[in-house]
Amino acid sequence: MVLIAFCVFVMVLLPQITEYILPLGLRKDDHYSVSQPIPYNPYPEYNSAAWKRKWKGSYQSCVGPDGALLDPENENTAMKGYRWNQSEFPTPIFGSYEAWNLDKNLCVDPSSRYGVYGYEVNARDVDSRTSTNWGGVNWADLQSACLERNRERYNKWHPEPKKPTLHNQQNQQVELGRKKHHYRKSRLPGFHHRTAVILRTTIDMKYTTNDIHNIRAMVMELSLLSGAEY
């Protein structure tokens, strides 16, 4: 029975699978390579002429957990991904690559995504992938130093007004947003906004290795690599 099933697979199913997969471009060609992951750099062209017309100050690279200045193109410190040709993939049933400005031709696996943060396949030690002494990293100090290096980009003394959150004040929110949008357009270049990311947890939370890698990635990619925008 096993031999018969194998023959059916080879003679009938395999040609159909190959015929379907090949048009999807899940293979090496002149434009897409799956052999080695490459650094993924989603950040704007900081300090370019177009960027300076919009924002005050200048972007300054921040120091990473290994004590060196961060570079989103450095394969030793940046997340990486694989280039795939997904032109024949079906349209997502929810969400949008375009709305989030995501590169739909980039795929990641756990190793390429979190390898620079200590992930290693089948490793028992969460910190075994890199030489960084993760236990000795003071993430608060790194973020404070990053903000200090980029202090000219942000308006420290005039924070934006708090937005009301009650449902009966939605009209006020819309009007406030319109005024702020008009003000920003008329006062370019302007100070860059900063956004807070809050992680809600419990006192007895037991963090998994995946949690740790995610938190490291959030601090590195949102805060340190953006010049303290978060």
Side-chain angles (χ1 to χ4, degrees):
M1 292 295 294
V2 175
L3 180 59
I4 294 175
F6 177 76
C7 292
V8 170
F9 174 79
V10 172
M11 298 177 63
V12 179
L13 297 180
L14 186 58
Q16 296 181 17
I17 294 174
T18 303
E19 181 180 0
Y20 176 75
I21 289 180
L22 288 180
L24 297 181
L26 300 182
R27 63 190 187 280
K28 293 182 183 179
D29 57 31
D30 293 337
H31 303 287
Y32 298 90
S33 174
V34 298
S35 59
Q36 294 293 332
I38 59 175
Y40 176 53
N41 180 8
Y43 301 95
E45 294 185 20
Y46 290 117
N47 298 333
S48 65
W51 188 87
K52 284 183 173 294
R53 284 195 296 269
K54 187 175 182 180
W55 303 113
K56 290 184 177 181
S58 61
Y59 169 84
Q60 301 293 330
S61 298
C62 295
V63 176
D66 61 352
L69 290 178
L70 293 172
D71 178 2
E73 297 290 346
N74 186 339
E75 63 179 14
N76 294 320
T77 58
M79 70 157 285
K80 294 181 283 292
Y82 298 89
R83 286 292 179 188
W84 296 86
N85 183 357
Q86 298 190 32
S87 59
E88 299 297 328
F89 269 40
T91 302
I93 59 175
F94 62 89
S96 169
Y97 288 104
E98 291 75 19
W100 288 94
N101 195 27
L102 298 176
D103 187 349
K104 63 181 179 181
N105 291 318
L106 188 85
C107 297
V108 299
D109 59 14
S111 182
S112 63
R113 179 67 182 87
Y114 296 113
V116 295
Y117 306 118
Y119 175 88
E120 185 173 4
V121 179
N122 299 326
R124 295 182 179 180
D125 183 1
V126 69
D127 299 334
S128 63
R129 175 63 180 265
T130 64
S131 59
T132 302
N133 177 21
W134 294 106
V137 176
N138 190 319
W139 294 101
D141 286 350
L142 289 178
Q143 292 180 84
S144 296
C146 186
L147 176 59
E148 178 63 22
R149 290 176 63 87
N150 289 270
R151 63 185 182 276
E152 295 180 355
R153 298 175 54 197
Y154 309 107
N155 189 349
K156 179 179 180 180
W157 305 112
H158 298 283
E160 296 181 356
K162 294 182 179 180
K163 296 181 180 179
T165 57
L166 298 178
H167 293 293
N168 60 2
Q169 295 177 327
Q170 287 183 344
N171 291 335
Q172 297 179 20
Q173 288 183 340
V174 173
E175 184 62 26
L176 177 62
R178 289 174 179 171
K179 291 181 179 179
K180 287 168 59 179
H181 179 69
H182 175 74
Y183 176 79
R184 287 175 177 170
K185 289 186 65 176
S186 62
R187 295 292 298 272
L188 295 178
F191 290 108
H192 203 289
H193 53 274
R194 300 193 69 219
T195 303
V197 177
I198 301 175
L199 301 181
R200 302 187 65 179
T201 184
T202 59
I203 296 177
D204 58 349
M205 171 74 175
K206 296 185 183 300
Y207 291 91
T208 66
T209 55
N210 188 58
D211 295 331
I212 295 173
H213 293 142
N214 268 289
I215 294 173
R216 290 174 182 170
M218 290 177 64
V219 177
M220 283 274 286
E221 295 164 12
L222 289 179
S223 181
L224 301 184
L225 283 168
S226 72
E229 291 179 10
Y230 291 81

